Each structure stands twice: as C-alpha cells, then as structure tokens.
Amino acid sequence: MKKYASFFGVCFVAMIVAVGCDAGSSKGGVAVLDLDEVASAIGWDAQLNEALKERGQALDQRLSQKKTHFEKLLEDNRTQIGEEPTEEQKQDLVRFQLRANRQLQADLQTSQQQMVQYRAGLVADFRDKLRPVAGELAEAKGLSMVVLKADPVFFVADTADITGEVIAKINEDAALKESLMLSLEDDNG
C-alpha cells in the first residue's frame, strides 16, 4: 500500500511540475522554490547550524551534570557502606547503578527528541516567513502555486524556478532578510 501511495505522490508532483513547465505563458502554473539554496545564499543555514550546535552543547552539559550527580550519589553510597559490603548491599549498588544508567539513557533520548523538534520548529518558522515572498514573486509571474524542489521533482523549467528571484528579493530588502534570520541571542535553550 505504501508503494502505491509513494507512486501516486510522485505522479502528482510530476503532474504539477508538468503544468508548471508552461508557467511563463499561462496563468495558473506552478513555481518551484529550492529552500536549501535560499537558506545557503542568505546565510540562514549557517545560523541554523550554529543554533543547533549551541542547543546541543547546552543539552550535553545538562546530561553531563546529571551523570556527575549520579556518580557522586553512587560513590556516597559506597562510602557509607564501607570496605566490605554485604551481598544485599552489593545488589543495592548494582540496582542503583542500573536505574541511574536507565535514567541517563532516557534523558539522552529526550535530548535527541528535543533537538529534532527544535530544528523542525526553526525550519517551519523560516518557511512561514518565506511563504509571502515566494507567493508574491510567483503571482507576479502569473503562477498560482509554489512547490518546494525535492527529489520527486524530475524536471523544472527555468521559467518555473523562482529560487534566484526569491534570493535577490531577500538580499535587496535588509528588513526582510533580518526578519528571516535567527535571533541566537534570544535563544537560551
């Protein structure tokens, strides 16, 4: 079933692109936009990488602090038990260490999920801010739809690709460019 859905999805995108290939001469065609190229051209991708790096370092630091805390608790328990622990005390230490390891693994997974969500949020915000710019340029060319360039898009006529125009418009308008860029100072993790 997934195979058919994928096939029909590719066919749909191909149909949209085919309609857009005649975009320069008729109303209602499709424009194509390469978000990766826009992000790279205006430096947004570098800011994204920096923001992700900072967020990752903050999450790593929190995990490291928790690990240090658990290690201290384990050492305190060992000190309290003394040099010759009973079998039950040994088992208690092992159980504590297992619980601590499970907690650290759970915290690591949570951190990874937070990173994925954080990145997705930044990308969604970038797309939302870019949408009116792309729409305005597409409408100016008589096009009624903008699709994002992706692997299923097999061919794009030069007249349908508005990526360069979007980049030029952003670079011409300092306020627009500033609104698209990430504000790393406001992001405290």
Side-chain angles (χ1 to χ4, degrees):
M1 189 65 168
K2 270 187 171 180
K3 192 160 73 169
Y4 291 115
S6 217
F7 172 74
F8 288 118
V10 170
C11 287
F12 176 72
V13 170
M15 179 186 72
I16 289 174
V17 171
V19 170
C21 289
D22 193 26
S25 62
S26 68
K27 198 138 180 81
V30 177
V32 176
L33 178 64
D34 186 337
L35 279 182
D36 292 335
E37 187 176 331
V38 173
S40 178
I42 68 170
W44 185 86
D45 61 341
Q47 281 193 321
L48 174 66
N49 290 334
E50 184 62 28
L52 293 174
K53 178 182 167 189
E54 288 178 13
R55 176 64 60 102
Q57 288 172 342
L59 292 172
D60 287 348
Q61 184 177 5
R62 288 182 199 151
L63 286 174
S64 180
Q65 289 170 345
K66 282 187 176 189
K67 182 180 178 191
T68 301
H69 174 72
F70 284 135
E71 288 170 346
K72 182 175 178 349
L73 288 175
L74 182 62
E75 189 55 39
D76 289 349
N77 284 340
R78 283 186 180 139
T79 302
Q80 189 176 15
I81 290 171
E83 293 286 323
E84 296 185 28
T86 65
E87 281 303 311
E88 184 179 339
Q89 290 171 325
K90 288 179 187 178
Q91 289 175 358
D92 287 344
L93 286 174
V94 167
R95 280 192 293 271
F96 175 81
Q97 193 164 13
L98 288 173
R99 279 194 312 271
N101 286 339
R102 279 193 299 267
Q103 182 62 49
L104 287 172
Q105 281 296 100
D107 291 345
L108 176 62
Q109 287 179 338
T110 299
S111 292
Q112 291 169 341
Q113 290 170 348
Q114 288 173 345
M115 285 295 292
V116 168
Q117 291 170 347
Y118 178 64
R119 183 185 190 289
L122 293 175
V123 170
D125 186 51
F126 179 68
R127 289 172 64 150
D128 288 345
K129 289 176 180 176
L130 200 54
R131 187 171 283 116
V133 177
E136 178 185 318
L137 290 169
E139 286 178 347
K141 290 181 87 170
L143 306 173
S144 60
M145 184 185 304
V146 177
V147 295
L148 298 179
K149 189 173 185 179
D151 287 338
V153 177
F154 188 70
F155 171 77
V156 177
D158 291 339
T159 57
D161 191 341
I162 62 169
T163 304
E165 295 168 57
V166 169
I167 293 168
K169 181 169 177 100
I170 292 168
N171 285 330
E172 290 170 2
D173 186 340
L176 173 61
K177 187 172 183 176
E178 181 65 28
S179 75
L180 288 168
M181 302 309 271
L182 297 174
S183 177
L184 300 178
E185 296 80 36
D186 295 340
D187 182 30
N188 294 326

